[in-house]
Amino acid sequence: MSDDPKPIVLLAPGLGGLRQLFENSYRLIEPPASGVVVGEGRGARAFITVGNRPMEAEIAALPDLGLVAVVGSGYEAIDVAGLRARGVEVTHSPGANHEDVADHAVGLLIAEVRQLVAGDRRVRAGDWTKDRHPASTRSIRTLKVGIVGLGAIGLAIAERLRPFGCPIAWWGPHPKPGAAYPRTDTLLKLAEESDVLMLAHRADDSNRGLIDAEVIAALGPRGVLVNIARGSAVDEDALIAALRNGRLGGATLDVFQDEPTPAERWRDVPNVVLTPHTAGGAEASLAAMTRMVAENLRRFFAGEPLANPVPPAA
Amino acid sequence: MSDDPKPIVLLAPGLGGLRQLFENSYRLIEPPASGVVVGEGRGARAFITVGNRPMEAEIAALPDLGLVAVVGSGYEAIDVAGLRARGVEVTHSPGANHEDVADHAVGLLIAEVRQLVAGDRRVRAGDWTKDRHPASTRSIRTLKVGIVGLGAIGLAIAERLRPFGCPIAWWGPHPKPGAAYPRTDTLLKLAEESDVLMLAHRADDSNRGLIDAEVIAALGPRGVLVNIARGSAVDEDALIAALRNGRLGGATLDVFQDEPTPAERWRDVPNVVLTPHTAGGAEASLAAMTRMVAENLRRFFAGEPLANPVPPAA
């Protein structure tokens, strides 16, 4: 195949679904999940990957690499400074999936509070009988919702929840003059005052483990945590301990400390709804994100300025 | 216990959760699910029940019955004319649960389209691996939603879906001048033009089996049916056949032809999310409905006019 004139592009494990979008223009190589890049893959000049999985082993094996194109907005696992120091540019695809992520977040909130997943399990187990009707649940409109981070995703969540009648507040490190929702002074206060805490902030080194045992305790035995941001934002061991002993009411997570999260980690943890990092994985978002990736690849190989380089470090 | 001065009230099987609300005022008897009323239960003057389960056997065994108080809005399984002919009044609790039902309906829609239940099952089965990331789903905002019945529940669904960006239309037998959403001429046309058909109409004899094989075929291989109205509205055998052979894309149901629905009926039916008739079973709704039941019982035993008699037959 060495007479194939198309440039070689590496595709991170798990992104095989994008193959058809790029294979007309590039010779795509998908290394195994172990991260070893061998053979012609080592000739890749560009690498399409995700932002929350370290790719140092793969990247170190690519002497001709010039572009890391991240599918998605976040890129916290990518060593941007190190890559730039060796002349590799990094692009991402921001502002493309906030609507789908917010849809998923609201769905998870309803699924957890109104027991949709537990109810489905119950029907399928034959555990719904005339004599034992399921217990009542809380009503969504009686829940105070606290949103961590009022960026594009946080705002989209708030807008969707508004007609449900939930009182909404938020916290983020920086006040937003003119915001339509009240900001509390601290995260701890937001957790104390909320029935549901929804994480919608950008994850980076500054807020790793932001949701620690103290915040979880403040959310309390009736409180529900919704995380569609990043697993690194939560002390997951503390979360599991609090769910097990009833110090937290429930949690619904699309993102995890390690992904894929091991099934056995959640086996007997009560009151959790778990999805496999699919909040941003809906068609409209993927189409918008892959359009950006494609445009950045095109510009890279044409020697033009990139469309979506990640911002310089603050 | 015959010296207990409290009036005897019969509580339908499965409504034991309401016991504590009424036991201070009444001597509550809960017959077994078989429907046989024996002993002092036969002295009941009032019967608290639900509207979608035939209770003729129980009712026939109650010579002193004067009131059937239905928890909920619908009462299609209650023989109102027959009861009135023997001097028994029927009350219901209307307008109390449309917000909770609409919340549940929107949650089911998102759960089905964004694969929340399937995703949870996948994570728990250890079927999320680095090499096999879940396939993408459709984006909610790309789905045309058709609502059958623009009453309190249908309107509440439409209001909640509006910020999600879904185009919304509806059908019902009677035009509603000034409605904020366009009405299609026929149900069949609504099904043809919709990606999601949400049933939110009142179920009665006039619309039994309204969603038949023809409507299901019109909704089509990518279409999703959401039913939080009544199981009697759907030809459930036709629905299951269409799901099995791919002529319908998916369905999410809170109500069934027979309740509780047998688990084995759904064992290998693809793309369904099932909840055990809990859409209206949230605390705010139950509180409002039981307040109405309590007030009707009080008036009945005080000889005052009832607050919520069901309307005369049309």
Side-chain angles (χ1 to χ4, degrees):
Chain A
M1 304 278 200
S2 55
D3 56 348
D4 188 331
K6 291 185 282 191
I8 295 173
V9 170
L10 208 66
L11 197 60
L15 294 186
L18 304 182
R19 178 169 285 277
Q20 65 182 35
L21 298 168
F22 298 107
E23 63 190 0
N24 282 343
S25 307
Y26 308 105
R27 175 151 173 71
L28 298 170
I29 307 281
E30 196 176 348
S34 67
V36 181
V37 183
V38 294
E40 62 183 342
R42 295 175 60 94
R45 293 183 55 207
F47 184 16
I48 304 173
T49 186
V50 292
N52 66 329
R53 204 186 302 160
M55 285 291 163
E56 269 120 35
E58 289 85 344
I59 288 168
L62 306 173
D64 299 330
L65 190 67
L67 174 68
V68 170
V70 173
V71 182
S73 177
Y75 49 89
E76 75 278 11
I78 307 294
D79 175 16
V80 177
L83 285 165
R84 284 191 174 143
R86 58 172 271 205
V88 178
E89 190 45 86
V90 180
T91 62
H92 66 148
S93 32
N97 70 3
H98 60 281
E99 292 178 275
D100 285 318
V101 171
D103 294 351
H104 197 95
V106 171
L108 287 178
L109 165 58
I110 302 173
E112 171 68 21
V113 173
R114 297 302 310 276
Q115 298 279 292
L116 303 187
V117 179
D120 181 86
R121 214 179 282 136
R122 184 167 184 159
V123 172
R124 290 171 191 280
D127 195 25
W128 175 26
T129 63
K130 271 206 167 73
D131 289 312
R132 285 185 302 137
H133 200 270
S136 63
T137 65
R138 283 182 289 175
S139 294
I140 300 289
R141 65 185 178 281
T142 65
L143 304 175
K144 287 184 198 157
V145 174
I147 299 175
V148 178
L150 201 66
I153 293 173
L155 265 177
I157 290 172
E159 280 163 19
R160 280 157 179 72
L161 284 178
R162 204 195 269 260
F164 286 82
C166 309
I168 295 169
W170 70 285
W171 174 84
H174 310 294
K176 288 184 189 282
Y181 306 92
R183 175 177 177 267
T184 59
D185 294 336
T186 66
L187 171 60
L188 206 59
K189 186 152 175 273
L190 186 71
E192 272 165 14
E193 294 177 351
S194 297
D195 298 295
V196 178
L197 196 66
M198 305 189 84
L199 308 187
H201 62 291
R202 181 198 312 269
D204 57 33
D205 282 342
S206 77
N207 54 37
R208 183 170 289 274
L210 184 71
I211 308 302
D212 59 13
E214 193 182 13
V215 174
I216 292 167
L219 190 52
R222 298 258 295 166
V224 171
L225 180 72
V226 180
N227 189 7
I228 46 74
R230 282 296 193 219
S232 61
V234 176
D235 180 341
E236 204 175 80
D237 290 336
L239 174 72
I240 289 175
L243 287 163
R244 281 194 194 280
N245 65 23
R247 276 181 290 115
L248 182 67
T252 174
L253 311 170
D254 185 55
V255 290
F256 302 88
Q257 180 182 297
D258 298 305
E259 296 184 9
T261 191
E264 57 270 27
R265 185 164 170 75
W266 303 96
R267 185 96 50 210
D268 299 311
V269 182
N271 304 317
V272 287
V273 171
L274 312 168
T275 52
H277 203 148
T278 48
E283 286 167 4
S285 292
L286 289 175
M289 293 192 292
T290 52
R291 268 196 305 273
M292 287 190 231
V293 170
E295 175 63 8
N296 284 296
L297 284 172
R298 188 196 66 73
R299 290 180 181 219
F300 170 72
F301 285 109
E304 298 174 16
L306 298 170
N308 311 98
V310 304
Chain B
M1 300 278 199
S2 55
D3 57 347
D4 188 332
K6 290 185 281 191
I8 296 173
V9 170
L10 209 67
L11 198 60
L15 293 186
L18 304 182
R19 178 170 285 277
Q20 65 183 35
L21 297 168
F22 297 106
E23 64 191 0
N24 281 344
S25 307
Y26 307 105
R27 173 148 179 72
L28 298 170
I29 308 281
E30 198 177 345
S34 68
V36 180
V37 183
V38 295
E40 62 182 343
R42 295 176 59 96
R45 291 184 55 207
F47 185 18
I48 304 173
T49 186
V50 291
N52 66 331
R53 205 185 300 160
M55 286 291 164
E56 268 120 35
E58 289 85 345
I59 287 168
L62 307 173
D64 299 331
L65 190 67
L67 174 68
V68 170
V70 172
V71 182
S73 177
Y75 48 90
E76 74 279 14
I78 307 293
D79 174 17
V80 177
L83 285 165
R84 285 192 172 141
R86 58 172 269 204
V88 179
E89 191 46 85
V90 180
T91 62
H92 65 148
S93 32
N97 69 3
H98 60 282
E99 291 179 275
D100 285 317
V101 172
D103 293 351
H104 197 96
V106 172
L108 287 179
L109 166 58
I110 302 173
E112 170 68 21
V113 173
R114 297 303 309 276
Q115 297 279 293
L116 303 186
V117 179
D120 182 85
R121 213 179 282 137
R122 185 169 182 156
V123 172
R124 292 173 189 280
D127 195 25
W128 175 26
T129 63
K130 270 202 168 70
D131 289 313
R132 284 185 303 134
H133 200 270
S136 63
T137 65
R138 283 182 288 176
S139 294
I140 299 289
R141 66 186 177 281
T142 65
L143 304 175
K144 287 185 198 156
V145 174
I147 299 176
V148 178
L150 201 65
I153 292 172
L155 265 177
I157 290 172
E159 281 163 18
R160 280 156 178 72
L161 284 178
R162 204 196 270 258
F164 287 83
C166 308
I168 295 169
W170 70 284
W171 175 84
H174 309 293
K176 288 184 188 280
Y181 306 92
R183 174 176 176 267
T184 59
D185 293 336
T186 66
L187 171 60
L188 206 58
K189 186 154 174 269
L190 186 71
E192 272 164 15
E193 294 176 350
S194 298
D195 299 295
V196 178
L197 196 66
M198 306 190 83
L199 308 188
H201 62 293
R202 182 199 310 270
D204 57 34
D205 281 343
S206 77
N207 53 37
R208 183 169 289 272
L210 183 70
I211 308 302
D212 58 13
E214 192 182 13
V215 173
I216 292 167
L219 190 51
R222 298 257 295 165
V224 172
L225 180 72
V226 180
N227 189 6
I228 46 74
R230 284 294 195 221
S232 61
V234 177
D235 180 339
E236 204 174 79
D237 290 335
L239 174 71
I240 289 174
L243 287 163
R244 282 195 193 280
N245 65 22
R247 275 181 292 117
L248 182 67
T252 173
L253 312 170
D254 185 56
V255 290
F256 302 88
Q257 181 183 295
D258 298 305
E259 295 184 10
T261 191
E264 56 270 27
R265 185 164 170 76
W266 303 96
R267 186 94 54 209
D268 300 311
V269 181
N271 305 317
V272 287
V273 171
L274 312 168
T275 52
H277 204 149
T278 48
E283 287 168 4
S285 291
L286 289 174
M289 291 192 293
T290 51
R291 269 196 304 275
M292 286 190 232
V293 170
E295 175 63 7
N296 283 298
L297 285 172
R298 189 196 66 72
R299 291 180 179 218
F300 171 71
F301 285 109
E304 297 174 15
L306 298 169
N308 311 98
V310 303

